[in-house]
Amino acid sequence: GAVVSQHPSWVICKSGTSVKIECRSLDFQATTMFWYRQFPKQSLMLMATSNEGSKATYEQGVEKDKFLINHASLTLSTLTVTSAHPEDSSFYICSARDVRGAGTGELFFGEGSRLTVL
Amino acid sequence: EDQVTQSPEALRLQEGESSSLNCSYTVSGLRGLFWYRQDPGKGPEFLFTLYSAGEEKEKERLKATLTKKESFLHITAPKPEDSATYLCAVQWGYTGGFKTIFGAGTRLFVKA
């Protein structure tokens, strides 16, 4: 299957600072990437859809100014958690669809990024 | 309301004890149903896609089946390395795009 790389795997930051997480599709191009948040023992919650060359589409209840998403190329999307607070601590996962398989719909996931805000 | 429900929440098996995980859904206009495996602290790993009722897919000890209302993930003679959380996701289309929602997952524990 397609490979999606996410970096960093884990990050610890102080409250009030900003953290950037990168999501790269390594062997395919992705016009659309998705950012999820996952709490312990819970399922994936879609935060936003990242569209290459245009603004991200945020799910209801997700603060656009808190979670900045940029999809500058067909292989890279970034999520920046701005002015992070302890309640932002979570496991963030990105996924992408291979444009060559636009009819199939499988999402390929990164390894996830564990954010801890002190 | 569109929903995806997985059961049981957790399943404990002895090595070699076959069983099934269930994923029921209420979305209309299904485009695809996906099964993923997720290990602790890792992103989900893609297993199967099913598109229409009656379809079956197999991979090693896993077999996924689909009906109009639910999907089953059958695990035959599981081994301890099959221990993981298994996630089901359902995708459907609407004007201008598609949406994918995930079930809460089934945590599988296989004891040697």
Side-chain angles (χ1 to χ4, degrees):
Chain A
V3 179
V4 176
S5 175
Q6 199 171 330
H7 176 81
S9 299
W10 57 271
V11 57
I12 301 173
C13 69
K14 293 182 178 179
S15 186
T17 61
S18 295
V19 174
K20 180 186 284 187
I21 301 170
E22 293 187 347
C23 179
R24 294 180 184 272
S25 55
L26 297 186
D27 55 354
F28 67 103
Q29 294 181 327
T31 55
T32 306
M33 291 185 174
F34 304 90
W35 286 95
Y36 292 85
R37 185 172 180 176
Q38 188 175 34
F39 292 101
K41 298 182 180 180
Q42 294 188 27
S43 191
L44 302 167
M45 288 177 48
L46 180 65
M47 297 174 64
T49 301
S50 173
N51 304 297
E52 187 268 335
S54 64
K55 291 182 179 180
T57 305
Y58 290 82
E59 294 299 300
Q60 192 172 9
V62 178
E63 298 177 60
K64 300 178 183 180
D65 296 330
K66 157 75 73 179
F67 300 101
L68 300 179
I69 291 173
N70 182 277
H71 194 152
S73 76
L74 285 172
T75 60
L76 174 63
S77 175
T78 60
L79 168 68
T80 302
V81 183
T82 63
S83 186
H85 287 92
E87 57 264 31
D88 298 325
S89 299
S90 190
F91 193 53
Y92 294 88
I93 312 175
C94 72
S95 70
R97 290 176 66 231
D98 185 343
V99 295
R100 296 167 300 182
T104 58
E106 291 98 346
L107 297 175
F108 297 95
F109 286 85
E111 285 294 298
S113 299
R114 170 77 57 193
L115 171 63
T116 301
V117 184
L118 303 177
Chain B
E1 181 183 348
D2 299 311
Q3 279 196 339
V4 179
T5 304
Q6 289 189 248
S7 62
E9 288 187 15
L11 180 62
R12 297 181 183 274
L13 300 174
Q14 286 292 128
E15 184 173 4
E17 180 185 0
S18 301
S19 187
S20 295
L21 283 55
N22 177 265
C23 171
S24 62
Y25 61 93
T26 58
V27 303
S28 57
L30 180 75
R31 277 179 50 132
L33 184 144
F34 312 103
W35 282 99
Y36 291 87
R37 170 190 170 129
Q38 186 176 26
D39 293 298
K42 301 284 187 179
E45 175 189 346
F46 172 73
L47 293 175
F48 303 109
T49 305
L50 301 167
Y51 294 106
S52 57
E55 189 174 359
E56 298 182 353
K57 293 244 177 111
E58 284 189 68
K59 180 180 179 180
E60 295 180 354
R61 295 179 291 282
L62 301 176
K63 179 180 177 180
T65 62
L66 181 65
T67 72
K68 289 185 178 180
K69 293 184 178 181
E70 59 191 349
S71 176
F72 290 94
L73 183 65
H74 307 278
I75 302 178
T76 303
K79 298 182 178 181
E81 53 262 42
D82 294 324
S83 298
T85 295
Y86 290 85
L87 297 171
C88 165
V90 171
Q91 187 178 96
W92 72 99
Y94 62 93
T95 303
F98 67 94
K99 203 168 184 75
T100 306
I101 55 173
F102 284 80
T106 293
R107 284 176 289 135
L108 175 65
F109 304 93
V110 182
K111 187 176 180 181

